[in-house]
Amino acid sequence: MTILDKIIERKKIEVEKAKALVPLEELLNYPYFSVACLSLRESILDPEKTGIIAEYKRASPSKGDINSTSAVEDVVKAYEEAGASAVSVLTDGEFFKGNLEDLSKAREAISIPILRKEFIVDKYQITEAKAYGADIILLIAACLKKEEIQEFAAYAHQLGLNVLLEVHNEQELLDNLFDDIDAIGVNNRNLKDFSVDIQHSYDLLNKIPTEYIKVSESGISDPSTIKALKKAGFQGFLIGENFMKTADPGQAIKDFVKEI
Ligand SMILES: O=P(O)(O)OC[C@@H](O)[C@@H](O)c1c[nH]c2ccccc12
């Protein structure tokens, strides 16, 4: 059993508990549920911004604790000031030490799009994402069937959410190119064994149809990597650990952006 299988198994139990605690109908009355989502595409393509989707991540299964002191509202505010196009907030508690309140705190603090970074296995979590203030959801091809991806993406669009599909190889990409997907993220990290290779982004780049926003995810720690990815045709860059592992993630992104 891979760590990914383990995460998914626990996630399904967690979702059933959440449904029992807060029925879906109740989520529809949460204030953020009726607030319009911000556009990922517009923010990524905004020439005033960097294309960086900067992530707030306290811990990860591959690295353990990354940062347990920096407050979410301070970090995301600094990410926005530094020119991030969007912010990603981990909401998984078990493996990443995140929660849904982090998402709402981020929403209060900034006005760029926010990604709920989560292992989505059920439509309920998409409703939750919207209710807690997210603009974007992540669908991970390695965790879902083709039919689920299509159905979840359509439902997210119905709620006005943007959809980022994460792929790791050509098969996952070609199987899941649905209309209701806005952006494709190539994860340079293999979620099954955690190995990282930026080359994955280059290998898949030309196989992504032009109508999708192209995002390179994970393992980016050098401004020169962004310059090269941008030149090749990537528009978005998802970066977490490189900022979060420092004592001051807000300063780290500001220093990083000066070099791109
Ligand atoms: O911290 P990094 O290496 O910069 O990576 C960020 C992000 O891409 C990574 O956290 C991630 C990519 N896909 C995921 C799926 C679930 C959880 C986390 C992730």
Side-chain angles (χ1 to χ4, degrees):
M1 200 183 199
T2 66
I3 182 92
L4 186 60
D5 297 328
K6 214 177 282 173
I7 293 176
I8 298 306
E9 193 179 79
R10 295 193 73 114
K11 197 52 71 180
K12 288 186 176 157
I13 299 168
E14 196 182 298
V15 171
E16 291 315 311
K17 281 191 193 150
K19 281 183 191 172
L21 213 61
V22 185
L24 185 88
E25 307 73 60
E26 222 170 286
L27 290 176
L28 310 182
N29 295 323
Y30 280 31
Y32 285 132
F33 189 81
S34 20
V35 177
C37 290
L38 301 166
S39 159
L40 173 65
R41 174 179 298 271
E42 260 174 47
S43 197
I44 289 277
L45 299 181
D46 182 345
E48 305 278 295
K49 299 195 172 82
T50 56
I52 295 174
I53 304 172
E55 185 158 281
Y56 182 79
K57 174 159 75 170
R58 291 194 185 88
S60 75
S62 60
K63 297 288 157 69
D65 283 342
I66 298 170
N67 187 323
S68 47
T69 54
S70 305
V72 63
E73 52 274 34
D74 297 341
V75 172
V76 299
K77 189 86 209 124
Y79 283 168
E80 179 179 47
E81 283 166 13
S85 290
V87 156
S88 163
V89 177
L90 256 316
T91 59
D92 173 81
E94 190 74 29
F95 297 91
F96 293 87
K97 300 196 176 166
N99 56 63
L100 280 163
E101 281 65 42
D102 285 342
L103 192 61
S104 297
K105 283 183 191 161
R107 175 74 300 148
E108 281 294 302
I110 57 175
S111 49
I112 51 175
I114 301 176
L115 166 68
R116 177 184 187 187
K117 180 63 93 65
E118 181 57 87
F119 298 86
I120 294 199
V121 293
D122 193 297
K123 278 161 82 173
Y124 178 86
Q125 295 163 288
I126 302 173
T127 317
E128 243 179 6
K130 175 80 176 146
Y132 281 83
D135 304 283
I136 313 157
I137 57 147
L138 179 75
L139 296 177
I140 305 175
C143 302
L144 297 165
K145 296 192 199 82
K146 201 175 160 163
E147 296 71 33
E148 291 174 316
I149 294 179
Q150 190 164 21
E151 186 194 343
F152 291 180
Y155 178 63
H157 263 191
Q158 262 176 42
L159 300 187
L161 289 155
N162 302 263
V163 180
L164 170 62
L165 174 72
E166 176 174 303
V167 299
H168 188 66
N169 57 45
E170 185 172 354
Q171 193 64 46
E172 289 179 359
L173 172 68
L174 300 181
D175 276 352
N176 296 298
L177 294 171
F178 302 115
D179 286 350
D180 285 308
I181 284 159
D182 303 290
I184 307 274
V186 180
N187 197 351
N188 301 311
R189 182 177 294 113
N190 182 333
L191 290 178
K192 293 179 178 137
D193 65 12
F194 300 138
S195 59
V196 177
D197 189 351
I198 303 282
Q199 189 56 38
H200 283 292
S201 284
Y202 292 108
D203 291 345
L204 293 188
L205 176 65
N206 295 324
K207 308 204 162 71
I208 306 175
T210 49
E211 62 263 38
Y212 300 101
I213 293 288
K214 302 178 183 73
V215 180
S216 178
E217 303 180 354
S218 311
I220 302 172
S221 57
D222 196 315
S224 65
T225 307
I226 296 219
K227 282 195 223 160
L229 286 164
K230 212 179 237 178
K231 208 165 162 199
F234 277 96
Q235 299 147 313
F237 316 93
L238 183 40
I239 307 179
E241 199 188 309
N242 184 57
F243 305 140
M244 289 300 293
K245 71 178 184 197
T246 69
D248 186 350
Q251 192 55 48
I253 190 174
K254 285 173 188 168
D255 294 342
F256 186 94
V257 162
K258 281 186 204 139
E259 312 275 325
I260 62 175

Short mmCIF file of all heavy atoms in Angstrom, two decimals, residues 5 26 30-31 49 53 57 63 74 91-92 105 143 147 153 170 176 196 205-206 215 228 233 242-243:
data_model
loop_
_atom_site.label_atom_id
_atom_site.label_comp_id
_atom_site.label_asym_id
_atom_site.label_seq_id
_atom_site.Cartn_x
_atom_site.Cartn_y
_atom_site.Cartn_z
N ASP A 5 -2.38 5.64 -1.27
CA ASP A 5 -3.53 4.77 -0.98
C ASP A 5 -4.01 4.99 0.46
O ASP A 5 -5.20 5.04 0.74
CB ASP A 5 -3.14 3.28 -1.11
CG ASP A 5 -2.73 2.93 -2.53
OD1 ASP A 5 -3.27 3.54 -3.47
OD2 ASP A 5 -1.86 2.05 -2.70
N GLU A 26 -26.36 22.50 4.95
CA GLU A 26 -25.88 23.52 5.85
C GLU A 26 -24.74 24.33 5.22
O GLU A 26 -24.67 25.56 5.39
CB GLU A 26 -25.38 22.85 7.13
CG GLU A 26 -25.78 23.57 8.39
CD GLU A 26 -25.47 22.74 9.61
OE1 GLU A 26 -26.21 21.75 9.85
OE2 GLU A 26 -24.48 23.05 10.30
N TYR A 30 -23.44 28.80 4.31
CA TYR A 30 -22.23 29.50 4.78
C TYR A 30 -22.03 30.75 3.93
O TYR A 30 -22.24 30.72 2.71
CB TYR A 30 -21.00 28.59 4.64
CG TYR A 30 -20.82 27.57 5.74
CD1 TYR A 30 -21.91 27.00 6.40
CD2 TYR A 30 -19.55 27.16 6.12
CE1 TYR A 30 -21.72 26.06 7.41
CE2 TYR A 30 -19.35 26.22 7.12
CZ TYR A 30 -20.45 25.67 7.77
OH TYR A 30 -20.25 24.74 8.74
N PRO A 31 -21.63 31.87 4.57
CA PRO A 31 -21.53 33.13 3.82
C PRO A 31 -20.68 33.05 2.55
O PRO A 31 -21.11 33.53 1.49
CB PRO A 31 -20.89 34.09 4.83
CG PRO A 31 -21.16 33.51 6.16
CD PRO A 31 -21.34 32.04 6.01
N LYS A 49 1.59 40.23 -12.24
CA LYS A 49 1.85 39.17 -11.25
C LYS A 49 2.90 38.19 -11.80
O LYS A 49 3.29 38.27 -12.96
CB LYS A 49 0.55 38.47 -10.89
CG LYS A 49 -0.48 39.40 -10.25
CD LYS A 49 -1.60 38.64 -9.58
CE LYS A 49 -2.50 39.57 -8.80
NZ LYS A 49 -3.50 40.23 -9.67
N ILE A 53 1.97 30.21 -7.78
CA ILE A 53 0.91 29.81 -6.85
C ILE A 53 1.68 29.40 -5.59
O ILE A 53 2.34 28.35 -5.57
CB ILE A 53 0.07 28.63 -7.41
CG1 ILE A 53 -0.52 29.00 -8.79
CG2 ILE A 53 -1.03 28.25 -6.42
CD1 ILE A 53 -1.20 27.83 -9.51
N LYS A 57 2.08 25.47 3.75
CA LYS A 57 2.18 24.04 4.08
C LYS A 57 2.99 23.86 5.35
O LYS A 57 4.17 24.15 5.39
CB LYS A 57 2.84 23.34 2.87
CG LYS A 57 3.17 21.89 3.05
CD LYS A 57 3.33 21.12 1.74
CE LYS A 57 4.61 21.37 0.99
NZ LYS A 57 4.80 20.41 -0.15
N LYS A 63 8.41 15.23 4.01
CA LYS A 63 9.39 16.02 4.77
C LYS A 63 9.12 16.11 6.26
O LYS A 63 9.94 16.61 7.01
CB LYS A 63 9.48 17.44 4.19
CG LYS A 63 9.97 17.50 2.76
CD LYS A 63 11.48 17.18 2.67
CE LYS A 63 11.90 16.68 1.30
NZ LYS A 63 11.85 17.67 0.25
N ASP A 74 -0.47 35.88 7.94
CA ASP A 74 0.74 36.67 7.67
C ASP A 74 1.44 36.17 6.41
O ASP A 74 1.87 36.96 5.57
CB ASP A 74 1.74 36.54 8.84
CG ASP A 74 1.18 37.09 10.14
OD1 ASP A 74 0.21 37.88 10.06
OD2 ASP A 74 1.69 36.71 11.21
N THR A 91 -5.47 21.70 3.30
CA THR A 91 -6.50 21.56 4.33
C THR A 91 -6.50 20.17 4.95
O THR A 91 -7.29 19.89 5.85
CB THR A 91 -7.90 21.90 3.78
OG1 THR A 91 -8.21 21.03 2.68
CG2 THR A 91 -7.99 23.34 3.33
N ASP A 92 -5.63 19.27 4.51
CA ASP A 92 -5.53 17.94 5.11
C ASP A 92 -4.86 18.03 6.48
O ASP A 92 -3.80 18.65 6.61
CB ASP A 92 -4.73 17.00 4.21
CG ASP A 92 -4.49 15.67 4.89
OD1 ASP A 92 -5.41 14.83 4.86
OD2 ASP A 92 -3.42 15.48 5.49
N LYS A 105 -9.21 31.80 6.91
CA LYS A 105 -8.31 32.87 7.38
C LYS A 105 -7.57 33.49 6.20
O LYS A 105 -7.37 34.70 6.13
CB LYS A 105 -7.29 32.31 8.38
CG LYS A 105 -7.88 32.08 9.75
CD LYS A 105 -6.77 31.60 10.69
CE LYS A 105 -7.37 31.08 12.00
NZ LYS A 105 -6.42 30.23 12.72
N CYS A 143 -5.67 9.80 -8.12
CA CYS A 143 -6.58 9.38 -7.05
C CYS A 143 -7.98 9.08 -7.54
O CYS A 143 -8.83 8.65 -6.76
CB CYS A 143 -6.75 10.49 -6.02
SG CYS A 143 -5.28 11.04 -5.25
N GLU A 147 -14.32 9.06 -14.86
CA GLU A 147 -15.71 9.50 -14.72
C GLU A 147 -15.86 10.46 -13.53
O GLU A 147 -16.65 11.40 -13.58
CB GLU A 147 -16.67 8.31 -14.50
CG GLU A 147 -16.76 7.32 -15.64
CD GLU A 147 -15.50 6.47 -15.81
OE1 GLU A 147 -14.84 6.16 -14.78
OE2 GLU A 147 -15.14 6.14 -16.97
N ALA A 153 -15.37 17.93 -11.93
CA ALA A 153 -15.02 19.18 -12.60
C ALA A 153 -16.29 19.93 -13.00
O ALA A 153 -16.38 21.15 -12.84
CB ALA A 153 -14.14 18.90 -13.82
N GLU A 170 1.83 10.94 -19.02
CA GLU A 170 1.09 11.20 -20.24
C GLU A 170 -0.29 10.54 -20.24
O GLU A 170 -1.28 11.13 -20.68
CB GLU A 170 1.92 10.70 -21.45
CG GLU A 170 1.28 11.03 -22.76
CD GLU A 170 2.17 10.73 -23.96
OE1 GLU A 170 3.35 10.36 -23.76
OE2 GLU A 170 1.66 10.86 -25.08
N ASN A 176 -7.82 12.58 -19.39
CA ASN A 176 -8.68 13.46 -18.59
C ASN A 176 -8.81 14.90 -19.09
O ASN A 176 -8.99 15.82 -18.30
CB ASN A 176 -8.16 13.47 -17.14
CG ASN A 176 -8.25 12.11 -16.51
OD1 ASN A 176 -9.34 11.56 -16.35
ND2 ASN A 176 -7.10 11.53 -16.16
N VAL A 196 11.39 13.54 -6.99
CA VAL A 196 11.10 14.79 -7.70
C VAL A 196 11.99 14.93 -8.92
O VAL A 196 13.20 14.73 -8.83
CB VAL A 196 11.32 16.01 -6.78
CG1 VAL A 196 11.09 17.32 -7.53
CG2 VAL A 196 10.40 15.96 -5.58
N LEU A 205 4.79 19.06 -21.37
CA LEU A 205 4.40 20.40 -21.82
C LEU A 205 3.69 20.43 -23.17
O LEU A 205 2.60 20.97 -23.31
CB LEU A 205 5.64 21.30 -21.84
CG LEU A 205 5.44 22.71 -22.38
CD1 LEU A 205 4.50 23.50 -21.47
CD2 LEU A 205 6.78 23.43 -22.47
N ASN A 206 4.31 19.84 -24.18
CA ASN A 206 3.75 19.96 -25.53
C ASN A 206 2.55 19.06 -25.78
O ASN A 206 1.93 19.11 -26.84
CB ASN A 206 4.84 19.73 -26.57
CG ASN A 206 5.87 20.84 -26.48
OD1 ASN A 206 5.51 21.99 -26.22
ND2 ASN A 206 7.14 20.50 -26.65
N VAL A 215 0.64 24.58 -15.59
CA VAL A 215 1.28 24.81 -14.30
C VAL A 215 2.32 23.72 -14.02
O VAL A 215 2.06 22.54 -14.26
CB VAL A 215 0.22 24.79 -13.16
CG1 VAL A 215 0.87 25.04 -11.80
CG2 VAL A 215 -0.89 25.82 -13.41
N ALA A 228 13.36 29.27 -16.90
CA ALA A 228 13.43 28.26 -17.95
C ALA A 228 12.05 27.67 -18.25
O ALA A 228 11.68 27.48 -19.42
CB ALA A 228 14.41 27.16 -17.55
N GLY A 233 7.16 27.63 -21.90
CA GLY A 233 5.71 27.75 -22.12
C GLY A 233 4.84 27.56 -20.90
O GLY A 233 3.61 27.64 -20.99
N ASN A 242 9.97 25.51 -0.53
CA ASN A 242 11.09 26.45 -0.67
C ASN A 242 10.88 27.72 0.16
O ASN A 242 11.83 28.28 0.69
CB ASN A 242 11.30 26.78 -2.14
CG ASN A 242 12.51 27.66 -2.36
OD1 ASN A 242 13.62 27.32 -1.97
ND2 ASN A 242 12.29 28.84 -2.93
N PHE A 243 9.61 28.17 0.27
CA PHE A 243 9.32 29.35 1.09
C PHE A 243 9.04 28.94 2.53
O PHE A 243 9.56 29.54 3.46
CB PHE A 243 8.11 30.11 0.53
CG PHE A 243 8.24 30.51 -0.92
CD1 PHE A 243 7.16 30.43 -1.79
CD2 PHE A 243 9.46 30.97 -1.42
CE1 PHE A 243 7.29 30.79 -3.13
CE2 PHE A 243 9.59 31.34 -2.75
CZ PHE A 243 8.50 31.25 -3.61
#
